[in-house]
Amino acid sequence: MDGFNLTDHRRRSARALGRLGPAWLALGSALAIVTGGCAGSAVPGTTVSPERTPEAAAASLVRRAAAATLAAPAGVEFKLEGASAFGPSRAPVLGSGEFDFPSATGVEKIDLGEAGGREPGNEQALFLSERVYLQPKGLGSSVLPTGREWVSATLTGSDAVSTNFPSFVLQVEAVDPRLPLSELAGGAVAAAPTGVEPVGGVPARRYLVTIDLARALSALSGPDAAALGQAIQSELAAPGGGGQTSIAVWIGAGRVLQMRSAPPGAGTGTATMTLCCFGEPVAVSAPPSARVVDIASLTPSGERENNGGGDSDGG
């Protein structure tokens, strides 16, 4: 984890994506044209099934690409614009990381924007299937007990987290590519092609996808279903959401190469995530428990732990 290098990460991205080649994109485009032609060739006077409309056929293509992406490890680079959840800075928040999607684990570095002439530095986040670890910088580190460098939280509906930090899970998952990928795989109900452009040197077709959040929630499975489900429930509860959201997605070589979304209620602005380095192994392990404090101990009910009266490290 400490040896992660963004420059090397990008080089590996170019090599991995280059090996995929444009052949799969051409095949996918041809299939999309054939599917669209079939959908529009119904006998006059008959009703076309909603499943055979061009928008539904494109949504099916998006769901398959998202599911294929979730089936293997990948690297990710992201940019948050207009975020309010990571401090007062209005500068973009940048980050990069690696995820093993099948095992629901990942690691990210988050480069916080400059605020008030100060550069907070990089935060680190570790994702396990049911727990996340954050190494805060700047003002966030001042609330930690002496000797503790990491905050941990369970993502499976802890009362302390949901009551005292109601947006925490959604904010954490908003920088986790598993959330939009899972929403695409399980909740895409309509998609409209909006152009063709390369991502990392690979030709990709761009779609604007409508997500049914309740459908995405019911489709969740696997070791991270509880954590992702809590994040989607927060989106459903956001004012004005209407149970739907939209994600712009770039698909090439049968996979999702890029996503752009703004999760309702997260405070993370617009997130652009670029995926690469598919299939490369990823190793993630929790930090030593002596350096970790559970977020529950930072609440009023956990004040005794926060003052050194206990050891609620969550490790």
Side-chain angles (χ1 to χ4, degrees), residues 16 19 53 57 62 90 106-107 110 119 128-129 134 145 175 188 230 275-276 298 312 315:
R19 288 195 296 268
T53 64
V62 168
R90 290 297 177 264
V107 55
I110 305 169
E119 177 59 54
L128 302 181
S129 59
L134 180 67
V175 295
Q230 189 171 339
L275 300 172
C276 69
L298 302 180
S312 179

Side-chain angles (χ1 to χ4, degrees), residues 93-260:
V93 176
L94 306 177
S96 61
E98 299 172 309
F99 281 82
D100 186 323
F101 295 127
S103 68
T105 59
V107 55
E108 282 185 337
K109 288 185 178 180
I110 305 169
D111 184 3
L112 302 177
E114 181 178 328
R118 297 180 56 192
E119 177 59 54
N122 297 328
E123 292 190 346
Q124 291 195 66
L126 305 177
F127 297 85
L128 302 181
S129 59
E130 296 181 352
R131 183 169 288 272
V132 65
Y133 296 82
L134 180 67
Q135 188 178 39
K137 297 292 184 182
L139 295 177
S141 60
S142 64
V143 302
L144 299 184
T146 302
R148 306 298 176 102
E149 302 174 11
W150 294 82
V151 175
S152 75
T154 178
L155 298 181
T156 54
S158 164
D159 289 340
V161 174
S162 61
T163 301
N164 295 286
F165 302 89
S167 299
F168 178 80
V169 173
L170 180 55
Q171 290 172 359
V172 168
E173 293 300 340
V175 295
D176 182 346
R178 292 176 299 173
L179 179 60
L181 282 171
S182 295
E183 291 177 345
L184 290 166
V189 292
T194 57
V196 177
E197 61 185 84
V199 176
V202 175
R205 184 171 294 275
R206 184 176 69 247
Y207 296 88
L208 183 60
V209 185
T210 299
I211 303 297
D212 183 322
L213 291 171
R215 176 171 173 168
L217 179 62
S218 65
L220 291 174
S221 62
D224 52 357
L228 295 175
Q230 189 171 339
I232 293 177
Q233 288 172 344
S234 296
E235 291 184 88
L236 283 166
Q244 290 189 338
T245 189
S246 61
I247 299 176
V249 59
W250 286 253
I251 294 176
R255 290 189 175 102
V256 173
L257 302 182
Q258 189 166 274
M259 303 172 287
R260 183 172 295 144

